[in-house]
Amino acid sequence: MTDADSFDLQDDQETWYLLSSDDKVASLDGFAERFNRDHVKLTSFWQNLLEAAESLGFEIAKATQLQSSKAQKSLAIPASFETSSGKKHINSLSKILEIDDATVVQLTLGALHSINTDNHLQSLLGTPSLFHHVLEFHSKQRFARLGIVTELLRGAKNDTSGTILDELDKQVQLSNNHRGLFQKLLFAACGPTNCPSSEQLSLLLGKLGDEQFVHRVLRLLSEQRRLEREQAMEALLSLLYARLEPDCCEFCLILLALQQQDFFTGYNSDHQRLAKLSGLLCAEAVNLNSFGPSHKFNDSKGLDIVKNCVMNLSQGVMARRDKHLGKMDEDLAARIVIPSPESIALLAVGLLLKLHNIDQAIEYIEVANECGAFEYTQASFDTLLSGKRPVLGEYYDQAPYDIQFSDSVPKLQIESDFTVPKMDSNIVIYTSVGLELVNGLVVALETYLTNSENVSALCRLGATLFANQPLLCEDFWRNPNKIGNLVESAYDMPSLWEILGSLCWDHQSVDRVFSYIPSDYMIASLTKSSKVAKDFALVVAAIGKMAQFNPDAVRKAFNDDPCVVIGLLNVHPTDENIMGQIFMLLSSLVQECPPWAIPVMKFYGARSSRDILPRCFNSEQKQTIVAAARLLHSLSNVMSSVCFSTVCTEGDVQEYINVAVKASIAACNSLATTLSFSCELSVSYVNAYYILKSTSTLLDSIRQLDNLHNNSRVRKVAAEARAKMFEAFSTSTSFGEMLAYFAAAPASLSMCIFLRETLQEAQLIKLATQEFANDAKDSTSEKWNLLVQQQSSNASIHSNSLVLERLQNLKNLRFDMNGIHNRGWSDCEYNPLHAAASSIALIKIWFAEAEHFALAQLAETKDDFLASFSPFNLLMSRATPPPVIRDDPSLENQWQTLSLRTCDLIARYVTVTDASDYVLPFWGSLDLLSLLLSHARYCGGIEGKMNNSWGVLFLSMKDCLMNVSKLLSDKHRKIDVEGATMLRRGMAFVRLLNNLFEADTVIASTFLDQENSAIATALFDSVRALTSDYSDEIPYRARFAAEGLSVIRSSKRCQELLPDLIKIVRIPRPPSIVSSELTMQSLKLM
């Protein structure tokens, strides 16, 4: 029997993750050999391409294919696979995947190792679940190997990267050049897929699965092939960008390979990303940036062949456009972009001819235009620069066409204040290709830049490329180059503002824009463009973006007159999109500027006949709602400054409060309604962030006015507004459920990913531990003695127990916000986190307001009031599942089985040790859990209500307090920022312990009163260090020690240590406000 180690398979999926994370530890041993084995079937494909290139007229020197010097060892197949089910398993997979028997065994064992469970497994051979699992594992490994090559091409992420790439390149020589990578990546991107038909698959599977399983496997294979092609196209694009400058022959080899694909020469709605990547590939292959005497296309014969090849492509594009657009009315046809990646190849070659000053250049550019090159180029960059990537194993319904709103008002673009510019390697390459095209177009169309349509198209493309790219924008201001000519040509057009807005990314860049244009140019542009809604929206949107970065400069350009901006709403009063653009502009200009806030709020006041701001929250356009929420957020932020200002009249203050409260309640109701009736996988988390954040800010401001304003009538209005808002969110079920959902959203979405992955593995484990009747009767049936052991006949593992078991490990539930976004479950990567933080902040205020209004009750009814109106019961209720589980019955059933409460999900936030990296609402969640426990005695206690939370809190608390104890025990300690954060984290946990003792002494005691309790020891050591020596400054010393002493007084385990502690406790002198609580706790202790 062969040892199992002989079949060990390197997990390239893990290697890719390590490389992508800049981890130098990633092992690449044997990678080149594994990558070569993925593409052993390419010989005939490559030879056919070379013969086709020769038929075009190229003279190709003898191409040599070097054989790998490493032969794969012949391994004895384990006896377990010699059974009938084992042979069927090997035979089916080897034919479907076109691999040898030994590789099938490797994949099968590797797929089972990936389950990573200690349970004893029985044979899974012959089960559909194992078959499907191996197919997925195989595809993920191939996909990861292509990803590793892409990563290595983008930069030396590993010291061995150059060696590996050279080793792969040397496998093939073409005209005395090493082209191994070029050959393999071209094959992976454009080679035959050999995907079996449903009839063939049914024959291969036999009795393994029914018709539904055959369809499931076919869908999986099809999706896997598509994603592999996309990753290979990315790698090929990286190769051309970083390592290879193709000549005319190699460019034609790319075209010949692409011409065999329906995503390039036909129409396939499932492969839109592939089509767009292939268009960029053709543009990069022309290499416009390197034009000069050494350009690889400086070969008249080869260039003539290239010209003929790309011109022939135009016929197919025109036929496709006629076929699809001919069925549509003129209005729709004008906005539809038919896929035409060939047109980008035609355009790139036309631009190259223009650089060569060849007379036919304009003809090629005009034909490319007729083929839709400009529209399709714009659509390609709109998609590729969005940063959203496909996820293996996730399926999406794709729209058949790209719709360009070129003849209507542009869609309002909403960017969060916390959106990080996308500057990953993909974006850099895409942008580089785009700039090559734009620069080439500006040169080629220099005599045509008086045409406003040409200028508008180029400005739109340039704006797409520069948006959120600070390095590119900085380079433009240093050296405008050819794009500077485009900006000059657009000087009297609204398109100028589109590109100027994209060139702004910080305060200084906005100053540069205003130094470039005359002082009155902005207002003049608004006036000039006001007649056409699309043009007006362009100008307002660009000014709005500038105001985000430098509101002072924009206010100055408006002559510090808010009425000028407010008056813009009268230009197109019924256009909600333009209304949203103006809201976005005002939200920036009002921020930190009270003099602007009063007239803005007056205009949108409750006495206004239109009630514009509250009405906008019922808009059908999501972007308008977000813009209104941002404006409300800004107005709430400056409310205290406005209302305490001496220039603000009593009437102004009252109106400000009433309008803000009315708008806030309308916004929250709109958000709750949207969540309740949402049919989308993704909800608007950016919308939730601004609405909930503005509501909590507004409540804080109203509380200040109620407590501190010197005018009794204003205090009365503030108190009434405060009561009105408390009633709104304490009595509305939908509002409470909305708050609970957003507070737990990052955890619930991460839980969906975790459950989906775990359920697949649980199904395999369940099958593996079942005793099959046939196995029991067949004495010749052999178990997998490499992996499994005999299991008792009554053994059974259920998915629920596996999920619960794995949830005990804190590392199992990862907050993969990028994965959530890429699956289409959120509108931006970090938006769910910020929405959660703002929701948690609002629930905390709810707790405080409940206590405030309880004080006004009679003593005998105070407890009943808190029991009725505290958010305790809301957090203890069943957690609302995300919309993503609606289409997955097994996932939904598992969610219901777990009986997760909202507080259980919120408790998961405390598992993240470095909250700053994840932008998680860590501090808010600990404070919220403490408040929850403090209200437990009014609301029926916590017994049996938080069973899914205690394990998480216990392990997190233990790790944190042990780290604090270690830090404080170091005599040479230096408390830096990281140490201060650790102390603050520990203090929050100790405060939670205090409240837990008040809520339930029995449960709290389990944390501290166990024998050799690590938490008790760490807490005791920390308090001793904090109270025995005051010679150095320690952040949070007094608060931490006071909370710790209070816990020690409550804990039986800690009381055993009291004699030692009393000897060393020193009361700080002189006592300060901060240390007064510590002094009191110290005296109580003694």
Side-chain angles (χ1 to χ4, degrees), residues 809-1038:
N809 185 341
L810 301 185
K811 296 180 181 179
N812 275 326
L813 187 63
R814 296 181 296 110
F815 293 94
D816 182 11
M817 306 315 297
N818 185 52
I820 289 170
H821 176 54
N822 285 337
R823 285 172 169 82
W825 296 356
S826 68
D827 45 8
C828 187
E829 184 174 345
Y830 290 106
N831 281 354
L833 296 172
H834 291 274
S838 58
S839 182
I840 287 174
L842 188 52
I843 297 175
K844 286 166 56 181
I845 293 176
W846 182 352
F847 271 110
E849 291 296 89
E851 294 173 359
H852 167 76
F853 287 105
L855 294 175
Q857 306 297 313
L858 296 174
E860 57 270 20
T861 62
K862 177 182 176 181
D863 290 359
D864 292 338
F865 181 89
L866 286 173
S868 301
F869 296 103
S870 167
F872 178 91
N873 293 326
L874 172 70
L875 297 177
M876 286 296 179
S877 60
R878 288 284 187 94
T880 303
V884 298
I885 73 169
R886 293 173 184 169
D887 298 328
D888 192 334
S890 62
L891 192 61
E892 188 171 12
N893 290 336
Q894 185 62 61
W895 181 282
Q896 299 300 334
T897 302
L898 288 176
S899 300
L900 292 169
R901 301 173 187 265
T902 300
C903 59
D904 295 330
L905 292 172
I906 292 176
R908 283 282 160 180
Y909 297 142
V910 307
T911 64
V912 180
T913 56
D914 190 355
S916 60
D917 279 357
Y918 294 87
V919 205
L920 279 170
F922 169 80
W923 305 113
S925 63
L926 268 179
D927 292 341
L928 182 62
L929 291 172
S930 293
L931 287 170
L932 177 74
L933 295 173
S934 69
H935 279 224
R937 63 179 182 272
Y938 308 118
C939 305
I942 58 174
E943 184 177 358
K945 294 180 181 179
M946 296 179 66
N947 294 339
N948 289 324
S949 301
W950 300 130
V952 173
L953 293 173
F954 179 85
L955 292 176
S956 299
M957 186 182 299
K958 182 184 73 173
D959 291 345
C960 177
L961 291 179
M962 289 178 67
N963 288 332
V964 169
S965 174
K966 183 178 179 181
L967 173 68
L968 295 176
S969 64
D970 184 2
K971 295 181 180 180
H972 304 288
R973 63 178 177 258
K974 290 184 179 180
I975 309 296
D976 54 10
V977 175
E978 183 178 353
T981 301
M982 186 188 302
L983 285 168
R984 183 185 173 198
R985 180 184 174 94
M987 181 180 67
F989 270 120
V990 176
R991 185 185 301 119
L992 186 144
L993 258 181
N994 253 325
N995 288 332
L996 183 57
F997 269 109
E998 293 182 9
D1000 194 309
T1001 305
V1002 175
I1003 295 176
S1005 298
T1006 62
F1007 280 69
L1008 290 170
D1009 294 344
Q1010 300 175 18
E1011 188 175 356
N1012 300 322
S1013 169
I1015 292 180
T1017 303
L1019 176 61
F1020 179 83
D1021 291 342
S1022 299
V1023 172
R1024 179 169 56 184
L1026 290 168
T1027 56
S1028 60
D1029 182 8
Y1030 290 87
S1031 61
D1032 58 349
E1033 292 293 330
I1034 298 180
Y1036 313 110
R1037 176 200 294 272

Side-chain angles (χ1 to χ4, degrees), residues 554-713:
V554 177
R555 281 193 290 263
K556 183 178 179 181
F558 278 117
N559 301 317
D560 285 317
D561 186 356
C563 294
V564 176
V565 184
I566 293 171
L568 297 178
L569 279 166
N570 297 323
V571 178
H572 294 278
T574 60
D575 193 314
E576 290 190 355
N577 184 72
I578 292 179
M579 184 186 297
Q581 297 281 11
I582 298 172
F583 282 173
M584 294 286 284
L585 172 59
L586 282 169
S587 68
S588 299
L589 299 179
V590 167
Q591 193 70 265
E592 299 179 4
C593 189
W596 277 61
I598 298 173
V600 170
M601 187 60 84
K602 279 186 175 181
F603 181 78
Y604 300 120
R607 291 180 234 164
S608 169
S609 60
R610 288 178 289 182
D611 248 350
I612 294 178
L613 189 56
R615 181 168 59 86
C616 282
F617 292 110
N618 296 317
S619 170
E620 294 182 358
Q621 293 194 25
K622 183 187 295 185
Q623 292 84 3
T624 303
I625 297 176
V626 177
R630 284 190 60 160
L631 177 56
L632 180 60
H633 180 226
S634 297
L635 291 169
S636 300
N637 273 337
V638 297
M639 184 175 184
S640 294
S641 301
V642 170
C643 295
F644 282 102
S645 171
T646 56
V647 299
C648 191
T649 66
E650 179 184 324
D652 289 339
V653 173
Q654 293 179 8
E655 183 176 8
Y656 202 111
I657 294 172
N658 289 330
V659 174
V661 169
K662 183 176 182 179
S664 182
I665 293 175
C668 290
N669 287 335
S670 169
L671 185 62
T673 302
T674 302
L675 183 65
S676 301
F677 295 99
S678 176
C679 297
E680 303 176 10
L681 292 180
S682 167
V683 296
S684 179
Y685 292 97
V686 64
N687 192 0
Y689 166 74
Y690 283 114
I691 289 177
L692 299 177
K693 181 68 174 176
S694 65
T695 303
S696 59
T697 304
L698 177 64
L699 267 169
D700 277 334
S701 298
I702 292 176
R703 290 160 71 188
Q704 291 179 31
L705 293 173
D706 183 19
N707 295 326
L708 303 174
H709 205 281
N710 55 13
N711 188 313
S712 60
R713 289 183 294 274

